[in-house]
Amino acid sequence: SQQGEEDPQALSIQEGENATMNCSYKTSINNLQWYRQNSGRGLVHLILIRSNEREKHSGRLRVTLDTSKKSSSLLITASRAADTASYFCALNGQLTFGSGTQLTVLP
Amino acid sequence: NAGVTQTPKFQVLKTGQSMTLQCAQDMNHNSMYWYRQDPGMGLRLIYYSASEGTTDKGEVPNGYNVSRLNKREFSLRLESAAPSQTSVYFCASKRGGGGGAPHEQYFGPGTRLTVT
């Protein structure tokens, strides 16, 4: 399958806490991308990590990639209510998305 | 720079009616995509166009047709709408020419379609 699977399906945390979500996949990849979708809106690209990278940072986002385990994680530090959204991973810029992780950040 | 625009934002159709969803991008991107998203689900690819003049089926093409009118515009047509096509439809574009190119996709705001 060319589709990543996000885990957990839903995550609820308090503002200021860190949020971690995971993406597992079965095929080999050249890169993996994370997207965010606010309720009722289109997806927004967050970060891309290539297969030869192990970790990447962008602001409060940290992405790791373990190609031996075929998994990636997205860490959002010091979460805010505005981070409430669904998060999706996409493989190789491929055209399929899993069901996502629904993150709720409580004020 | 408007990015990806979609019209209409909302539409209600009766079963059997037809309509065309419009999408345009002003980023000079080669690739364009149509997705549908059902409640609580991820996006499923309907059709895509890797470059002007080409279109290909995605995961769920049945009941839809597309036209890549020019590099900017990619339309999605429902010839005979069915209740199962009630969904939110997203258009997206990407700079790269192929599905595997490591470029991000830019999404439009979506069209909410209800078929009664």
Side-chain angles (χ1 to χ4, degrees):
Chain A
S1 169
Q2 294 285 341
Q3 182 175 302
E5 296 294 335
E6 298 88 356
D7 174 71
Q9 287 190 328
L11 179 60
S12 186
I13 59 174
Q14 295 293 133
E15 206 164 23
E17 292 181 339
N18 295 341
T20 300
M21 55 206 83
N22 305 295
C23 172
S24 60
Y25 56 91
K26 295 180 180 176
T27 62
S28 61
I29 63 169
N30 294 318
N31 67 81
L32 184 147
Q33 302 178 32
W34 284 93
Y35 287 80
R36 182 188 74 230
Q37 183 181 34
N38 291 96
S39 180
R41 309 292 293 273
L43 276 68
V44 174
H45 182 264
L46 295 176
I47 195 165
L48 179 153
I49 186 166
R50 296 180 187 273
S51 60
N52 61 353
E53 298 175 311
R54 291 295 167 260
E55 187 170 312
K56 202 162 182 181
H57 296 254
S58 177
R60 293 184 295 112
L61 305 180
R62 180 170 77 97
V63 170
T64 61
L65 179 63
D66 187 333
T67 52
S68 66
K69 294 182 180 176
K70 290 187 165 51
S71 69
S72 173
S73 67
L74 171 67
L75 168 68
I76 304 173
T77 60
S79 63
R80 306 167 181 167
D83 294 327
T84 294
S86 292
Y87 292 82
F88 298 87
C89 62
L91 314 178
N92 295 334
Q94 280 293 342
L95 312 172
T96 55
F97 296 84
S99 299
T101 291
Q102 171 60 52
L103 173 65
T104 302
V105 181
L106 303 169
Chain B
N1 204 341
V4 180
T5 56
Q6 292 183 236
T7 55
K9 286 187 169 51
F10 302 93
Q11 184 71 50
V12 179
L13 291 177
K14 290 186 177 5
T15 297
Q17 287 185 319
S18 62
M19 78 161 296
T20 299
L21 281 64
Q22 307 287 354
C23 174
Q25 52 90 10
D26 61 2
M27 296 172 283
N28 202 35
H29 285 173
N30 290 311
S31 302
M32 297 185 73
Y33 311 85
W34 276 106
Y35 294 89
R36 62 176 287 173
Q37 185 177 34
D38 300 321
M41 305 283 288
L43 276 70
R44 291 187 291 171
L45 182 67
I46 305 171
Y47 271 93
Y48 69 100
S49 170
S51 61
E52 187 179 354
T54 69
T55 60
D56 286 286
K57 295 178 181 179
E59 182 186 356
V60 290
N62 291 345
Y64 305 95
N65 285 303
V66 289
S67 294
R68 183 74 184 266
L69 304 169
N70 46 56
K71 193 169 186 179
R72 289 188 65 248
E73 299 171 291
F74 189 38
S75 63
L76 178 72
R77 182 159 179 85
L78 286 71
E79 291 291 352
S80 179
S84 60
Q85 294 178 304
T86 293
S87 190
V88 181
Y89 291 83
F90 290 100
C91 177
S93 70
K94 185 168 76 169
R95 178 160 57 97
H103 298 129
E104 64 188 89
Q105 292 189 48
Y106 292 80
F107 283 79
T111 293
R112 282 146 189 79
L113 175 67
T114 301
V115 183
T116 62

